[in-house]
Amino acid sequence: MAFVTASWNPLGEAFYRKIELYEMGWNLKEGLRNCQIAAAPYGGPIALLKEPQRSSPSARPQLEIYTSSGSPMASFMWKSGVVKQLGWTISDDLLCVQEDGTVLVYDLFGSFKRHFSMGNELVQSHVLEAKIFHSPYGTGIAVLSGAYRFILATNIEDIKLRRLPEVPGLQGVPSCWTVLSQDRQTKVLLATGADLYILDNTACTPVSPSGFSPQATNIIQVAGSFSYKYLALFTDSGHVWMGSANLKEKLCEVDTKMRTPPTQMAWCWRPKSQQPSVVIMWEKYLLFLALVVLNLLFGYNLDNESVLVPELDSVRIISGTHHELLQEVPVVSEEIFKIASMAPGALLLEAHKEYEKESQKADEYLREIKEQDGLGEAVKQCVEAAGYEHEPETQKMLLRAASFGKCFLSNFRPEQFVSTCRDLRVLNAVRDYTVGIPLTLQQYKQMTVQVLIDRLVYRKLYPLAIEICRYLKIPEYQGVSRVLKHWACCKVQQKEEADEVIARMVSLKLGETAGISYSDIAARAYECGRTELAIKLLEFEPRSGEQVPLLLKMKRSQLALSKAIESGDTDLVYTVVTYLKNEMNRGDFFMTLRNQPIALSLYRQFCKHQEQDTLKDLYNQDDDHQELGNFYVRASYQEGRLDTRMSCLQNAMDEYNKAKNEFNAKATEEEMRLLRFQRRLEEEKGERMVGCSLQDTLHCLLIVGLHKQAEQLYKDFRVPDKRYWWLKLNALAEKEDWEEMEKFSKTKKSPIGYLPFVDVCIKHHNKYEARKYVSKVTPEQKVKAHIAVGDLEGAAEVAIERRNEGEISLVLSHCTATTDRTIVDRLNRTRATAGKK
Amino acid sequence: MKRRLAQYSTRTHDFEKHDHRSRDPPVCHMILVSEGRKMAAHLSYGRVNLNILREAARKELREFLDKCAGSKAIVWDEYLTGPFGLIAQYSLLKEHEVEKMFTLKPGRLPAADVKNIIFFVRPKLELMDIIADNVASEDKLRTPRDFHVLFVPRRSLLCEQRLKEKGVLGSLINVDEYILDLIPYDGDLLSMESESAFRECYLENDQTSLYHTAKGLMTLQALYGTIPQIFGKGECARHVANMMLRMKREFAGCQTQILPVFDTLLLLDRNVDLLTPLATQLTYEGLIDEIYSINNGYVKLPPEKFAQKKQGEGEKDLPTEPKKLQLNSAEELYAEIRDKNFNAVGAALSKKAKIISAAFEERHNAKTVGEIKQFVSQLPHMQAARTSLANHTSVAELIKDITTSDAFFDNLTVEQEFMTGVDTDKANTYIEDCIARKDPLIKILRLVCMQSVCNNGLKQKVLDFYKREILQTYGFQHILTLNNLEKAGLLKLQTATRNNYPTIRKTLKLWMEDANEQNPNDISYVYSGYAPLSVRLTQLLARPGWRSIEEVLKMLPGPHFEERQQLPSGLHKKRQQGENRITLVFFLGGVTYAEIAALRFLSQMEDGGTEYVIATTKLINGTSFIKSLMERLEVPP
């Protein structure tokens, strides 16, 4: 297996290997000299800003964008200001930080997207240095201004500039600095001479690394790890301090014996591995440091100028001609490929090789694994190791061995094998020279397939993206649909094609694909100034609600209204209605509503609470007299003054008449009559009863003894006898005017009978008066009357006489066994005899 | 019929006999603790685990709270506190750094040393004005606080626009929505608690609540699978079904791969059956609601009967605060008696009392240490049962006082006369008397509307008479309420067509002469004779199907329809032998406890074959139903 381990270098307890990813496709005459370079992590694109070769003032730098394999994607003359820093966002946009604080954003293909500023003060003070960093909040920018102040933006998609506190005594550019993202906070760590400071939102705190040796002097280089967990410091004495990012824990300190300042320093460390290590680069030399054993380092000589690109699990080295990957050899690969390894995986690989040679040695190896009971483990190791390999041949060799081993196992769960095969297929496809995204399996898992698809889409590699979606069986909604949407958004920007053609092409390709948001595509078309195309595209949108905002934006408000109604979302209807109200003149607005009853009733609701007068206009327009009548009635109750109230009611009555609602008209008229009566009464007798109901007015009159007025009202308003009797009875009882009550009872035959007389007296605790009326009560109610006055004997008498079972039970229920013994007996006897019959 | 009615006034159960309150001190705190822990366990007892829905809602709430880092105070739209109580207790809020709670009102917010102020509001314009006022009057000198708005159940562009106009939208850090459409009330009951749903749909032609219903049903389907069959009756039902089908098309891509839990959805408009909510409910729970009104699962009762008699203290200090009881199936006894006809409750309570006494007697038999230990371990449960029994005995006494009154009896007599079609075409003397006595207006309106519904409208003369009587007695301002009732169809003029209510009653067997209250064999027991129309329709849909009653369906308002929703292949349910179908019945415009009881009765029928889960826009009774349609006009000073 010598050839696999050929590129391995031992360092401490682990091996490191350098894998060549690509021979660069670009043709750079001067290599990477005289240019700014920015390479995005996760195998992202590379941007180069080449200084002009002639140093004439009119010469402009050239901006070039390449894939990781060096295929050109864009190239154009840089005509804006002086660029201080290049960098990539997490969504593959290029950021160019200019000296005056402006940040220009370009896409992968070099088309300008937008710009923003890192603060107006920078126009004056200029940007001295800038760094672009990634954190859980997105891509951020930190700049150091000419006034030696740091300005931060943690997420460029949502710019909130933060000026960090001043560093006391800072009179020049710090010797080095970096951005750290810790505990959900973004901080700046800077060094001036031997002093270290941490700058956060509120304060500048001096810090000192734990166990930093005293001979260490000026710190000239600093590097945070990919996850911001660790930090490495390089001093001008050649010492390297490695430790936790909070500086509290030291991992190790190494003397490199190199006094020249390095050009770059980066962590090279696979998560979960026990051996964090740092790569330091000088112009022609690369040095490797691991912390486990001091002074165990190895170096590579570099052919020419290079750049280090730190990754999650490795470091990439880009030079003028090559692109390489430097990483720790995973434990499992080590176990399989290490010379003379007896690990089950190694034996299985050997067994498979013998098997291919048709040698019986295969059986011997297999037996050996089985004796150790390690076949399952062997298969697992081979599968896992395959995932770490870049060369498809090696991957295949390992997977074949695994597959071979699997044959001798029952109940082996196939998931890991299947998913590794799948992942590798995807990875090999994107690692391909033509695509140029050299992801490791670990990086791929971390970034997720969703993001990978996005990146392919940004590169306009639509067919490959769709292929991957289909291959991985990603639900359409998250996969193919998304890709197609991006494709369509890109398509609508192709100005040379006619609207019809594009609309047809889009609908043909997208068709009924689930989860396509045509409104997003239409919005893009509209942004490009293609309103007609946008409208055509919107017609394909199945979600009517989604169409509304864009239609409004494009001033197709009528269409927006009908779409809003179609969606059933009343809030959306309201939104369009308020929009229309502001856009149109009143007449047109009302006419529009009239054709949309649902919108109209919603608007009425709105007016009811917010704009009463508009409501009236609406009813007027529709000749809705009934509602107008109601409107005036409602209005009358909001008026304090009686005159205005009356005129409201008059209006109401007129409207009710027009609506042919006789009852309401008459009732309103009566109310006006009543109000007039009440007013007169108030004026004449000083009794306040305006606004009371007829019933209450009558009650009031009877209580104060204005019997004549009461009689008059009773006649005028044709109050039914029954009600009037109840009313008078109650009023008299309330006054305890028993004499008048008795007189009243004799005026004529009571229309309500006489039980109410009994009840009302009892209610006012006058048993004596109550008894007077018992005899007048009809036979059917007599039992109740007797009981009411507490005369159980009388009640029993009547009940027995009437031989009514129900009444007998009723009396019984009021009797207590002890005191009413005799009555109970009599009742029971009667019941018994009645029962016999 | 009269004879059976008489039982209400003559039948007496001596509840006192089984009262154990005075013997052992109750162990209230213990119960509270254990209740707190299994707060929502009752939601998972039913055939469909509604706790999934509650958990989903809680998760979303937690996520929102965590979005606002640091200490927080919540400013509540008061209407929301009740429904929210069913989703999350204060403890959950506290865990997420909610330190203070206020009620939303205009002016400056109370001082609170918190980082975030969160407004929990319904999307109403009036409320936006208050929020704007709150934010604007914030003390500029103090450390600034972050403001957030959480819309329940859905955010609204209109409201955000209003906030923008008021110039405060920019000061709000987060404007978010908390989608809370269907709130689980019990193991088989979901409600949207949208008070004005019926009014909005039938009076104001505002279908907002129907949109929320459709959205809520989509959420439900996302959690419990697509419901393959949809039936419906009524205009609103049709509208909701249309929206659901539409939404399903719109989200064609993200279909849930969940085996459907519900077999059928039945959407019923309240206006298909206006009679039922008007009738007085005669189940235990129904009566509690009729008399004391149940709000968000709680009822407040007069405290006198709950006074704890402690030895030696006498009855010096009677509590003055109303007694608050939580009512749901988590309480074993309540689950047992809630749906019984009230006349059967006494017997059930007395039986329970005997069982509990017997259980306590066991202690004398416990001889060995092991036996004693076992007895002690059961003690908390037994004591809880005893407290529960004492509480419900008191409640039953309170109700009995009312159901045995003449007024209740007379009212019920008239209701039953109307339902059986006795003299519904002329002015009723009892109603007349009630008006003359100026009984509560709502009671009058309930009766008049009931008469109108049972007579398919009233003759002009009768209608005008009632209306005039009402206006003269209760005041002219009620003219708008009367208009509303007419518009909603509760009160109407009889047109030339003949009264079809008797036909409906006979075909659907709405009146059962021999309703058995103790051991019911038909849903009519919930109204002691009247079988709620809505539930009858549900019952007939399951067996033998609506085709058998086409004629009657045509007489009821609105279209009836059937829709099928395609299931992804592989999700077709294979029913086990004897496994019941599950139907979700959605009442658009409200449902009463008696109707719920009737559906539960159907679920429990041995050969029923269908179990029901009930959903509604609001839990209602006749009073709250009429109230929601009233127009409140204050007489000016």
Side-chain angles (χ1 to χ4, degrees), chain A residues 514 543-544 568 570-571 575 601 605 610 630 637 663 670-671 693-696 717-718 720 722-723 726, chain B residues 156-157 162 204-206 208 211 246 250 253 429 436 438 467-469 472-473 475-477 483 631 636:
Chain A
R543 283 170 290 178
S544 27
T570 44
D571 182 55
T575 310
S601 34
Q605 279 295 99
Q610 306 284 334
N630 292 348
Y637 281 93
F663 178 85
E670 273 191 10
E671 170 71 1
S693 70
L694 180 65
Q695 182 92 343
D696 294 345
F717 285 87
R718 294 185 292 116
K722 267 189 184 172
R723 182 145 59 83
W726 268 110
Chain B
S156 139
L157 292 166
R162 172 58 68 99
E204 290 154 353
N205 198 21
D206 172 355
T208 308
Y211 178 69
R246 194 188 162 79
E250 291 178 357
T429 42
K438 212 179 171 186
K467 277 160 66 176
R468 217 172 103 86
E469 285 289 283
Q472 285 197 351
T473 308
F476 175 71
Q477 67 269 31
N483 275 332
E631 199 83 17

Side-chain angles (χ1 to χ4, degrees), chain A residues 219-234:
Chain A
I219 299 163
I220 52 170
Q221 185 74 262
V222 54
S225 68
F226 201 77
S227 58
Y228 300 110
K229 248 194 201 144
Y230 295 101
L231 204 66
L233 304 168
F234 190 92

Side-chain angles (χ1 to χ4, degrees), chain A residues 71 120 238 266 271 362 416-417 575 688:
Chain A
S71 313
N120 287 334
Q416 192 203 7
F417 182 79
T575 310
R688 272 192 57 84

Side-chain angles (χ1 to χ4, degrees), chain A residues 418-436:
Chain A
V418 174
S419 72
T420 307
C421 289
R422 241 190 233 141
D423 291 342
L424 282 175
R425 249 190 113 168
V426 172
L427 284 176
N428 289 338
V430 300
R431 282 171 189 165
D432 187 89
Y433 188 81
T434 51
V435 180

Side-chain angles (χ1 to χ4, degrees), chain A residues 518-527 530-531 533-538 541 544-557 560 572 579:
Chain A
Y518 278 93
S519 54
D520 288 353
I521 303 166
R524 181 60 63 87
Y526 176 67
E527 275 168 30
R530 304 183 76 163
T531 313
L533 176 58
I535 290 169
K536 281 199 173 68
L537 288 170
L538 267 188
E541 171 66 60
S544 27
E546 295 288 306
Q547 307 175 10
V548 173
L550 186 61
L551 284 170
L552 278 184
K553 224 176 179 180
M554 300 191 297
K555 305 217 183 298
R556 305 291 156 123
S557 32
L572 211 52
Y579 181 87

